[in-house]
Amino acid sequence: MGKTQTFTGGRRVVLTIYVVVVAVAALTGLILGTFVEGKLLAPKYLGLIEFPATPLGLAAYGALTLATVLGVLLGLVIYVSDRYVE
Amino acid sequence: MATGQLALTVLMGVFLIAVAAWLSRVEDWRSYAPLSGGGGYRRDTGTAHEEKPAGLIRWLTTVDHKDIGILYGLYGTIAFIWGGLAVLLMRVELASPAQDVIELSMYNGLLTSHGITMLFLFATPIIAAFSNYFIPLLIGADDMAFPRINAIAFWLLPPAALLIWAGFFLDPLTGGQIQAAQTSWTMYTPLSAEQANPGVDLMLLGLHLSGVSATMGAINFIVTIFTERNDKVNWANLDIFSWTILTQSGLILFAFPLLGSALIMLLLDRNFATTFFTVGGGSPILWQHLFWFFGHPEVYILVLPPMGMVSYILPKFAGRKLFGFKFVVYSTLAIGVLSFGVWAHHMFSTGIDPRLRASFMAVSLAIAIPSAVKTFNWITTLWNGKLRMTAPMLFCIGFISNFIIGGVTGVFLAAVPVDLVLHDTYYVVGHFHYIVMGVIAFGVFAAVYYWFPIYTGRMYQRTLAKWHFWLVMVGTNLTFFGMLILGYLGMPRRYATYDFNPAITPMQAITALHQLATVGAFIIAIGMAIFVWNIVMSWMEGPVIEDGDPWSLKDTNQHGHEWHWHENRVNRSIVAADGGEEEVATDGGEVADE
Ligand code: HEM
Ligand SMILES: [Cu+2]
């Protein structure tokens, strides 16, 4: 067989997924902010930092929240991968 | 009158006994038992192959697990096309706010048919296609434990589909006396109990039959995995796909009989004036409890095997073993158990006791943990991997990213205050379609491509497969992301038309998002047309696979049992074919490397 194989780095793929999913959260915030402007309460990032209920505010809030939650998981992935080689 | 009835009953009884007696004599049933050949691992399947009659008779009489797997696959594909065409019509109707393409009753019929078809006639059978074909190969069994029950379970399905779809065909024939059921897939009472249309009864009977089929199949898998394993296969090295099928079969065993009983009660309510689910004397909420006690496990019945497929296939193209195999098995079992404890999260808005709501919310959030464990292990497997971006791998990666979105939206729904706002909106439709289309179907596509060389002996066209992936990926995200937003904006589900007060909800935005979803659905449809074309054409004339290891799995020490079987078969056919030389020399070459 002509086994000319091309490989892609796993890290690149994982980071791409991460960025894409966070971008989806930002997009959701942006769209919602546009459509329901003025009718939303200002969201609080981690219940602490308030973001304005504008398109950009909601986009930033959504992106940051998901980036944090998935980021913790990603950090765990990296930590575990470095430590436990199977 | 009464004696006439009695005589008829007795006559039917005698007739049935006579038929049974005759059947038991026509042939020695035992001679077909899989082990009677005394053949060892793999040898038997080869012999069976030579005994198979040709043509249509073979497919009608087969008890070979591989043939039955292919029958399930064909069946699931036909159902997918039917369900897909139904939804395209619905999406066309929804592209504009008014009712302008199909009758409202037609819309409701299509909606019902789409849901029931996709869940019971596509998703369940297409999973059975792979489990029937590959479980015996993976565990080194000669066949399923009960090959005949296996065949019977399959042959219950065509009549089930005919009954479920019957309303559509009978409507024109009976001048509208019998119509397609319009109950939606959840068949909520009192609506489903009070619709006089006999099409509903036909659908309920068909659904019942499909449940009997699934239950028979599940028993067969449980027994097969417990008793037919090759000596070398034990619980510790049982592959992950078999683990998920075992768990899934356990769920089916507990969930489907419950659906069957509930369906019988509904049929009794409809036809014999019992009052299980009526407003006075019975309870419409009872239906919801029974239905969702089945219905939530059902979603895991559908998602666990594709999770198993991805857990199985992803490492092959990441060049390393599945990270944390044991924990992936444990999470499968945990999901299996927990899935029976969350049914009422579908009922938060029915006014059930707030304490109940809180506890169901807690269990629903808890079930997210084993799901997250799986995702964690897939991503860890990817992290240090050297990935080969073949079509099966692309579908695995699409599966994971869609699962993240489907899971995150699901966690929001599990929170009672959020659910009370979003319940029965398009947000829910978006959530579960990220799962059923973006995850379940993607896992199936990965499996179709990964095992293609085994069940066809040929290779698919790689470029078309990639077109398929990208079209379906983009289409799925356009359609269902649009629906998530529609839900936030308050668009209720299950309506053929929409009209909002522009002062409160921007009508233009709603219309635009519906159109986006319609465009997305057509992009999926184009991708699926390419898929079907590729599979059919490649099956007939794709390059023949002469390699026992077309995916080069030996390089990373991941050549599984089924590829071993495939390799033996390839070698046998090369030896058997005179002038095999020539065949070997054709050297599938670039065929397999992607
Ligand atoms: C990650 C864990 C998940 C959570 C926490 C979750 C949560 C929920 C909740 C709370 C609802 C009810 C929403 C409502 O009706 O208001 C729901 C609906 C639904 N979910 Fe999930 N879900 C999860 C995963 C899944 C999976 C894996 C599937 C499919 C295999 C699925 C399929 C469905 C379906 C079909 C519905 C809607 C049923 C209907 O009302 O017609 N979900 N989900
Ligand atoms: Cu559920």
Side-chain angles (χ1 to χ4, degrees), chain B residues 185-186 292 299-300 303 345-346 364 367 371 407 410-411 413-414 419 423-424 428 431-432 435-436 440 493-494:
Chain B
W185 85 281
T186 52
W292 285 115
V299 304
Y300 284 97
V303 84
H345 66 206
H346 298 273
S364 301
I367 207 172
S371 312
V411 169
L413 282 178
D419 183 75
H423 178 73
D424 266 344
V428 176
H431 153 67
F432 70 76
I435 305 281
V436 288
I440 295 171
R493 64 194 281 199
R494 302 184 174 128

Side-chain angles (χ1 to χ4, degrees), chain B residues 507-522:
Chain B
M507 252 316 254
Q508 271 184 333
I510 298 272
T511 313
L513 286 165
H514 269 299
Q515 286 164 353
L516 181 79
T518 302
V519 170
F522 276 90

Side-chain angles (χ1 to χ4, degrees), chain A residues 28 32, chain B residues 405-414 418-419 421-434 480-493:
Chain A
T28 315
L32 287 183
Chain B
I405 300 178
V408 168
T409 52
V411 169
F412 277 102
L413 282 178
V418 180
D419 183 75
V421 177
L422 294 176
H423 178 73
D424 266 344
T425 69
Y426 263 72
Y427 182 89
V428 176
V429 185
H431 153 67
F432 70 76
H433 277 86
Y434 260 100
F480 303 120
F481 184 73
M483 290 191 184
L484 291 177
I485 305 282
L486 274 171
Y488 277 120
L489 296 183
M491 173 74 205
R493 64 194 281 199

